[in-house]
Amino acid sequence: MTAATGLAQRTPLRDDAIVKAELVGTDLLERLVAALKESVAIDMVALAHVEDDIDSVLGDCAPAADHVTQLSLRLRSALAQLVDLGMPAVRNEPEGELAIAVLRACEALKELLPAQGDESLGHLRRVALAAQNILDQDLIDEETLDHVAFLAGEAT
């Protein structure tokens, strides 16, 4: 079989894919874009509140049981972003303090979110400590966090 014959045989499959894409229309694309925008907004709010959330988790009083899941989800989102921000520096210095903090963060993010009780509070504290460890490495300055809060609609 020559290359031209092989290409001719594959072209109808490509044409079918184009027809299917046209059938999907812009409705699906608009929904996907809206979902992505919502996801980015949620992540920005999580990062904007990361310091306040850490303080509420690691402070003198434990968060109320009905806030643990919400705090966990928001802190996990912020922690994942902090890990992403730290990875380029970790590649340059794989033995440094930031690398250790990122490794701890990845371990915390691997954990499943417990349903309730002391396990969920313990998980929340591990995630908060991991986020604090990364922030302690001066990966993100205060001005950047303020800018993120402004963009997230949480102007300070």
Side-chain angles (χ1 to χ4, degrees):
M1 172 184 336
T2 66
T5 306
L7 181 61
Q9 290 175 342
R10 287 191 300 251
T11 302
L13 293 177
R14 189 176 141 259
D15 291 342
D16 288 344
I18 291 171
V19 169
K20 288 177 185 175
E22 289 172 350
L23 290 175
V24 169
T26 58
D27 185 48
L28 176 62
L29 293 176
E30 288 172 359
R31 285 186 286 156
L32 288 173
V33 168
L36 285 172
K37 284 181 182 178
E38 181 181 352
S39 175
V40 168
I42 289 169
D43 288 343
M44 288 181 74
V45 168
L47 195 55
H49 290 278
V50 69
E51 290 180 318
D52 294 333
D53 289 345
I54 290 170
D55 290 342
S56 69
V57 171
L58 301 178
D60 294 334
C61 299
D66 58 335
H67 292 294
V68 169
T69 301
Q70 179 184 8
L71 274 171
S72 292
L73 293 172
R74 198 160 65 198
L75 270 172
R76 287 172 65 92
S77 175
L79 183 57
Q81 292 175 77
L82 291 172
V83 167
D84 281 346
L85 289 170
M87 288 309 291
V90 168
R91 286 187 196 103
N92 293 335
E93 192 178 336
E95 303 290 323
E97 292 292 320
L98 181 59
I100 293 168
V102 166
L103 183 61
R104 281 191 200 128
C106 290
E107 291 298 320
L109 289 171
K110 279 186 200 176
E111 295 178 20
L112 296 176
L113 184 63
Q116 59 186 343
D118 290 340
E119 288 180 10
S120 61
L121 187 57
H123 171 75
L124 177 61
R125 288 185 176 143
R126 284 188 294 280
V127 171
L129 282 170
Q132 185 63 60
N133 287 340
I134 292 179
L135 287 174
D136 287 346
Q137 303 304 312
D138 295 325
L139 181 65
I140 299 178
D141 60 15
E142 198 68 35
E143 185 178 316
T144 303
L145 285 175
D146 289 344
H147 185 67
V148 169
F150 175 76
L151 291 175
E154 305 287 328
T156 56

